Amino acid sequence: MKSVWRAIGTPVLASLIAIIIGGIIAAAIGYNPLQVYGSLISGAFGGAIPLGNTLAGSVPLILAGLGIAVAFRAGLFNIGAEGQYWIATVAAVWIGYHFKGMPGFLHLIFMLVVAMVVGGLWGGIIPGLLKAYRGAHEVITTMMLSYIGILFAQYCIEPGGPMLEKGYQPQSPAVAQNAWLGSIIPNSQLTWGFAIAIVAAVVVWWILFHTTFGFQLRAVGSNQFAARYAGMNVPLYTVLALGFSGVLAGLAGAVQMLSQDHRLTQSFSSGYGYTAIVVALLARNNPFGVILAGIFFSALSTGSQNMQLVSGIPQSLTDVLTGLIIFFVAAERLIPMALTWYRRRKSGRLQVSLPEGGRTDG
Amino acid sequence: MTHFLEVIDLKKHFPGVKANDGVNLTVKSGEVHAILGENGAGKSTLMNMIYGLYQPTSGQILLEGKQVEFSSPRDAIRSGIGMVHQHFMLIPALSVAENIVLGDEPGGIQYNRKEAVRRVQQISDQYKLQVDPTRRVADLSVGLQQRVEILKVLYRRAKLLILDEPTALLTPQETRELFEIVGHLKAEGIPIVFISHKLDEVREIADVVTVMRAGKTVETLPIGDATPQDLANLMVGRDVVLRVQKNPIQLGNKLLELRGIHVRDASRHERIRDLSLTVSEGEILGLAGIDGNGQSELVEAVAGLLPTTAGSIHLAGQDITRVRPFDRTELGIAYVPQDRQRDGLVLDFDLVENIILRDFHKSPYSKSGAINYRAARAYAERLIREFDVRPADADRKAGELSGGNQQKVILAREVSRDPRLLIAVQPTRGLDVGAIEGIHRQLLRLRDNGKGILLVSLELDEILSLSDRIAVIHDGRIVDIVDGDSATREQLGLLMTGVKSTAETRGERV
């Protein structure tokens, strides 16, 4: 129990501090913090439909967040999840409307697998090989490839693009309807994609902590010298880890597409691949933490509309909250430091009653 | 002589641990006072309290007769306490003078570089430290960097100097130079607290020794009255065997053969030139040499971590020159690396994971890709017990263990794999008497079981007491191989400078 608290203590504390500061900001600009947060919470969790929408919004964050967490565990920084998400979806959508007439379940699996392979190639194998054998830093390569992926997807559905559905606003044809992911809560956006995300988290956890693959991935991530010494193939695991990371980002794209729009549209992502970095960070790369952090960030986003409607405060307060959380999680050492300072101050106060004899000047 | 520092019944309790539990210490002006104790005996806790890093649970610290309460090192420094830590806190890119005056620069708003250099030079001359204030710290050897740390303390007008395991990273020559400096400081009347677990050093340098064990000061005695055996027994709390007993050698077949190998280091410099060497079953071959003469490259080449550019490596007759490190491990090469925290352990992993670090892919620790943590844990717990790793808790992260216990974990892992050849680099560096004894016993047990051991050490005493044959390396070549029983320190010292092959000796190297 103690270790659980130690693991989640800092992220929870960071979020709480951010929420408190956010409340102070709200109060300072003339809003009632309790009302602001009350409306945020009721907008995110108040009732089956808001709850369903919050959970639905968490799906791409959880899946892409798992991917980023896997890369972090291997000591790698995959910041191109957004592009992997897009490019994998392009592939899945193409499969989805080209192979009509397949049994729905098989078609679904086909799309998910293709998306994972493409995401893995885009996010992992290419940057991984470049990193492992040419020393190109993965932050640069994943980011650059990410732009290529995003822009390529946009191009596909632009006027004149290869996947444009004629006569409509920029979008592709829909994928076969029998392969769509069905909804869990009627009238909400929540589909069986959420179950896929939960299963993925369990699988990632199991792979990381219970397989030789995960063992080597983590060993390479936390000390590549010792990994090399132990006979592990460090370059190979760099490639595999980034590949695994891309697979999950690709899965995020396909699941999101099959749950919501069922086609490629220009507004297909609202920066999930980037928010997922924060999700992984807040979760401290723990797969189960990723589920909680994904839901948390999704709640901020779904709740913010209601918050604006009810309390009148601009939605962008949630961006402030997100920023504060990132700050406090990234500066996690601030919290132990503050605790030490507080303790020292307390013990300093006790010392007042003791003789002051020793404070000689050097 | 007056009492400069007095510690009376000092206690420091952490939750669950009594790190210091009744420490008494008196340091007089102008004496070198050694604190001797095993790792975990509470030496560092004591020093951290004197230096203001920790606040005592109870007890008193008196400085020149007056009670002091330090709430931070800044208070301690202001009161004239200076401490040189085992790991230096210098900025490599800055000059010596800049490092020393940092935080206390001469001049007002504008930094007065000339004045800084002048003051540092003056202190260096006064205490015969022979440090050039204008050199960049990055260019200095470890020994010189340590003197910069000492200068830093003296610049802040320390009246008491605490040296925490100062010789841990030094070569024998540098150690001798440090002792001369300690002598000069003593002559200037500065009392020195010298923390160590090395008996020889303490006997050489100290006037008085206080022995600590399990958080308590056991005894304080003038150095003249103490034999090494007494001190060792006091430290460990039982009778210790200082000189290991070796059984007669039972030489087997040739095990490791290096035939004219050349090795380049990571920056493409040729560090091993045309080196040939043989280790047989049942022998300990000691490799002696001044640090940086190719020992690490030789060892990494045998382990497969650095490629050879020419020559060949054979294990039990099989050419392994092109065999991957992973497969060399499988062929029976075990390796205790020099840098245990960098290479030997994953500090974020717990002891279970560290103990199976090389065997995670094998039954029973894993089966078709899934790790069996139950089997791994049982194995780890057995090794922890057998090798007396403390604390005996398999869930601990390796990074939470003391250096000595980290080394025990590595040794346990490597030795228990039942290797044919064990490469041990500095296996007892930084360890205390009790732990060294245990590790030496393990090495000899392996030898007696017909394994081959390549022992690389900078400690001549270790080489001399364990080796059956001693190869001396200098500048990437084997200068000579001598018989372990008849070799002398002087003979080895001379060979280490390369005297047999070339007349010139190389300068100090890092």
Side-chain angles (χ1 to χ4, degrees):
Chain A
M1 210 54 224
K2 210 173 171 184
S3 65
V4 171
W5 171 241
R6 209 187 295 164
I8 66 168
T10 303
V12 167
L13 214 56
S15 307
L16 281 177
I17 294 174
I19 287 167
I20 291 167
I21 294 180
I24 294 171
I25 293 171
I29 55 178
Y31 298 93
N32 177 356
L34 290 179
Q35 196 197 7
V36 168
Y37 284 128
S39 56
L40 181 71
I41 292 169
S42 70
F45 301 109
I49 291 173
L51 180 68
N53 290 345
T54 295
L55 295 182
S58 73
V59 170
L61 294 178
I62 292 171
L63 288 170
L66 287 171
I68 286 160
V70 163
F72 272 134
R73 284 277 178 186
L76 298 163
F77 207 148
N78 175 13
I79 56 178
E82 179 77 5
Q84 293 144 28
Y85 173 92
W86 276 99
I87 198 103
T89 307
V90 169
V93 167
W94 191 83
I95 300 283
Y97 68 74
H98 257 265
F99 294 87
K100 286 204 164 139
M102 275 174 80
F105 187 67
L106 280 182
H107 201 177
L108 172 71
I109 302 279
F110 189 23
M111 280 188 273
L112 295 182
V113 168
V114 167
M116 289 195 280
V117 169
V118 171
L121 280 172
W122 204 257
I125 308 302
I126 301 171
L129 288 173
L130 287 170
K131 160 109 183 174
Y133 298 101
R134 306 283 352 136
H137 202 285
E138 79 278 4
V139 166
I140 307 294
T141 52
T142 55
M143 186 164 61
M144 293 301 160
L145 279 165
S146 175
Y147 287 127
I148 297 174
I150 297 167
L151 294 173
F152 177 74
Q154 307 272 358
Y155 155 77
C156 285
I157 51 172
E158 260 172 27
M163 289 169 74
L164 180 73
E165 192 178 21
K166 298 274 185 311
Y168 292 89
Q169 72 223 44
Q171 65 178 38
S172 76
V175 300
Q177 195 169 356
N178 63 351
W180 293 6
L181 284 164
S183 68
I184 299 180
I185 299 180
N187 298 324
S188 84
Q189 296 164 2
L190 187 65
T191 68
W192 289 102
F194 186 70
I196 296 180
I198 302 296
V199 171
V202 175
V203 170
V204 167
W205 168 79
W206 189 78
I207 289 177
L208 279 179
F209 297 102
H210 289 273
T211 66
T212 55
F213 172 78
F215 186 83
Q216 296 184 77
L217 190 146
R218 288 182 297 119
V220 168
S222 55
N223 182 350
Q224 57 159 313
F225 296 105
R228 203 168 96 85
Y229 153 85
M232 297 172 194
N233 187 338
V234 175
L236 176 70
Y237 274 82
T238 302
V239 177
L240 293 179
L242 279 174
F244 190 14
S245 177
V247 161
L248 289 159
L251 182 63
V255 168
Q256 177 72 357
M257 182 272 291
L258 287 163
S259 299
Q260 311 303 341
D261 293 347
H262 313 114
R263 63 179 83 228
L264 201 59
T265 64
Q266 278 186 327
S267 60
F268 168 59
S269 170
S270 45
Y272 294 125
Y274 302 121
T275 310
I277 299 174
V278 189
V279 168
L281 206 64
L282 183 64
R284 301 182 120 195
N285 308 322
N286 179 307
F288 299 122
V290 167
I291 298 179
L292 295 178
I295 293 172
F296 179 70
F297 278 101
S298 173
L300 282 184
S301 141
T302 46
S304 65
Q305 286 164 25
N306 192 56
M307 178 183 80
Q308 185 169 15
L309 274 172
V310 174
S311 68
I313 196 164
Q315 272 189 24
S316 40
L317 177 71
T318 54
D319 295 335
V320 174
L321 283 182
T322 311
L324 287 166
I325 292 168
I326 298 171
F327 175 80
F328 284 108
V329 172
E332 59 171 300
R333 289 174 66 184
L334 275 180
I335 291 169
M337 261 165 70
L339 288 175
T340 315
W341 174 81
Y342 176 72
R343 267 188 225 119
R344 198 165 273 169
R345 236 174 63 113
K346 249 172 74 180
S347 68
R349 226 177 279 139
L350 291 176
Q351 280 173 14
V352 176
S353 57
L354 295 169
E356 266 277 300
R359 294 192 190 261
T360 52
D361 40 25
Chain B
M1 283 208 273
T2 57
H3 293 186
F4 185 83
L5 172 77
E6 239 179 308
V7 170
I8 301 165
D9 200 28
L10 204 61
K11 291 183 182 171
K12 177 69 184 176
H13 295 181
F14 295 106
V17 190
K18 293 180 176 176
N20 270 195
D21 193 30
V23 171
N24 291 284
L25 180 69
T26 306
V27 180
K28 300 188 185 113
S29 302
E31 78 175 5
V32 177
H33 195 121
I35 312 277
L36 189 66
E38 291 198 289
N39 291 324
K43 296 174 304 216
S44 301
T45 306
L46 171 61
M47 289 310 134
N48 285 335
M49 282 192 282
I50 295 175
Y51 196 55
L53 279 166
Y54 292 159
Q55 281 68 46
T57 308
S58 68
Q60 296 179 319
I61 300 173
L62 275 67
L63 203 62
E64 296 179 300
K66 285 184 278 185
Q67 190 181 345
V68 289
E69 304 253 353
F70 298 137
S71 57
S72 76
R74 205 177 309 175
D75 292 351
I77 292 168
R78 218 175 287 143
S79 303
I81 291 176
M83 181 150 164
V84 175
H85 296 269
Q86 197 175 339
H87 299 284
F88 306 147
M89 299 171 182
L90 298 171
I91 303 167
L94 296 185
S95 75
V96 168
E98 285 162 342
N99 263 288
I100 290 168
V101 301
L102 198 66
D104 194 6
E105 299 89 353
I109 289 173
Q110 198 182 11
Y111 162 59
N112 187 341
R113 184 179 164 276
K114 270 205 191 119
E115 175 64 13
V117 170
R118 194 191 63 77
R119 283 200 210 166
V120 170
Q121 186 71 57
Q122 185 207 330
I123 301 170
S124 172
D125 292 346
Q126 185 188 348
Y127 298 100
K128 301 190 177 66
L129 286 163
Q130 297 174 348
V131 177
D132 176 357
T134 59
R135 286 185 68 185
R136 242 164 48 107
V137 163
D139 301 333
L140 301 181
S141 67
V142 175
L144 279 171
Q145 289 189 15
Q146 186 177 54
R147 289 192 220 168
V148 176
E149 285 280 7
I150 295 174
L151 264 175
K152 207 158 93 179
V153 167
L154 295 173
Y155 178 82
R156 283 163 180 70
R157 297 184 199 83
K159 293 188 277 185
L160 169 77
L161 180 63
I162 302 171
L163 300 173
D164 186 6
E165 309 251 347
T167 60
L169 300 170
L170 300 186
T171 64
Q173 285 87 336
E174 288 173 330
T175 303
R176 258 192 307 282
E177 287 162 14
L178 172 70
F179 287 179
E180 277 172 31
I181 291 166
V182 169
H184 297 315
L185 293 171
K186 186 178 145 184
E188 296 276 337
I190 296 180
I192 290 160
V193 176
F194 185 95
I195 302 167
S196 183
H197 52 238
K198 293 186 185 167
L199 297 174
D200 300 348
E201 284 178 2
V202 166
R203 281 172 44 80
E204 187 176 339
I205 191 76
D207 304 308
V208 183
V209 55
T210 294
V211 181
M212 283 186 76
R213 188 173 74 229
K216 295 186 170 72
T217 40
V218 186
E219 201 160 330
T220 297
L221 63 170
I223 205 71
D225 300 353
T227 68
Q229 190 66 54
D230 294 341
L231 291 176
N233 294 352
L234 280 173
M235 263 168 81
V236 182
R238 59 180 165 84
D239 288 346
V240 186
V241 184
L242 278 182
R243 275 274 165 183
V244 282
Q245 286 298 309
K246 262 184 1 184
N247 296 328
I249 190 164
Q250 303 253 321
L251 211 54
N253 299 324
K254 282 183 182 174
L255 183 62
L256 175 74
E257 272 183 278
L258 307 178
R259 294 186 193 153
I261 61 166
H262 291 247
V263 182
R264 289 170 191 267
D265 65 14
S267 45
R268 312 286 305 142
H269 294 297
E270 184 154 85
R271 301 302 295 270
I272 297 287
R273 284 155 219 193
D274 191 23
L275 183 145
S276 298
L277 197 62
T278 305
V279 182
S280 300
E281 291 170 346
E283 79 164 340
I284 296 182
L285 180 83
L287 187 70
I290 299 168
D291 197 12
N293 273 278
Q295 291 97 321
S296 343
E297 288 78 13
L298 172 65
V299 162
E300 295 209 342
V302 176
L305 299 173
L306 270 181
T308 51
T309 47
S312 60
I313 302 173
H314 302 259
L315 186 74
Q318 182 188 350
D319 187 341
I320 59 163
T321 318
R322 297 272 166 266
V323 171
R324 292 183 305 157
F326 181 86
D327 297 320
R328 293 193 199 194
T329 308
E330 294 303 289
L331 288 171
I333 297 182
Y335 173 26
V336 177
Q338 169 161 14
D339 192 333
R340 53 184 163 246
Q341 304 202 342
R342 197 189 83 137
D343 295 320
L345 295 167
V346 179
L347 297 179
D348 289 341
F349 276 17
D350 62 22
L351 297 187
V352 176
E353 292 179 314
N354 270 296
I355 279 174
I356 60 162
L357 194 63
R358 277 165 172 292
D359 292 318
F360 64 90
H361 53 90
K362 276 198 261 183
S363 174
Y365 316 120
S366 70
K367 211 167 158 190
S368 33
I371 292 185
N372 179 349
Y373 273 100
R374 189 176 301 203
R377 166 174 299 271
Y379 179 60
E381 279 172 352
R382 200 188 86 208
L383 261 53
I384 287 169
R385 229 177 304 120
E386 272 175 26
F387 285 79
D388 191 25
V389 176
R390 281 180 245 173
D393 178 0
D395 291 325
R396 284 292 176 114
K397 297 227 154 88
E400 295 170 15
L401 265 58
S402 69
N405 283 296
Q406 289 178 346
Q407 189 73 350
K408 282 188 207 164
V409 171
I410 296 176
L411 201 81
R413 178 181 70 211
E414 298 301 311
V415 167
S416 307
R417 310 184 64 251
D418 193 27
R420 292 157 94 176
L421 173 73
L422 175 71
I423 312 167
V425 185
Q426 301 265 68
T428 59
R429 187 168 82 149
L431 304 196
D432 51 59
V433 191
I436 291 174
E437 184 197 7
I439 284 174
H440 285 178
R441 271 185 209 284
Q442 289 288 348
L443 294 180
L444 288 170
R445 190 178 59 81
L446 280 177
R447 162 191 178 265
D448 294 342
N449 289 339
K451 319 290 185 189
I453 293 165
L454 175 60
L455 171 70
V456 182
S457 181
L458 300 176
E459 310 261 350
L460 280 184
D461 287 330
E462 180 165 81
I463 294 264
L464 280 165
S465 70
L466 292 175
S467 309
D468 298 304
R469 290 187 304 142
I470 301 170
V472 183
I473 191 168
H474 174 75
D475 202 14
R477 293 190 183 87
I478 299 294
V479 183
D480 203 358
I481 298 179
V482 295
D483 183 72
D485 293 332
S486 60
T488 63
R489 290 181 67 93
E490 291 68 28
Q491 182 190 8
L492 293 178
L494 210 57
L495 287 169
M496 277 161 68
T497 59
V499 161
K500 197 183 174 190
S501 59
T502 50
E504 45 151 12
T505 56
R506 293 180 70 89
E508 175 185 295
R509 299 184 59 165
V510 187

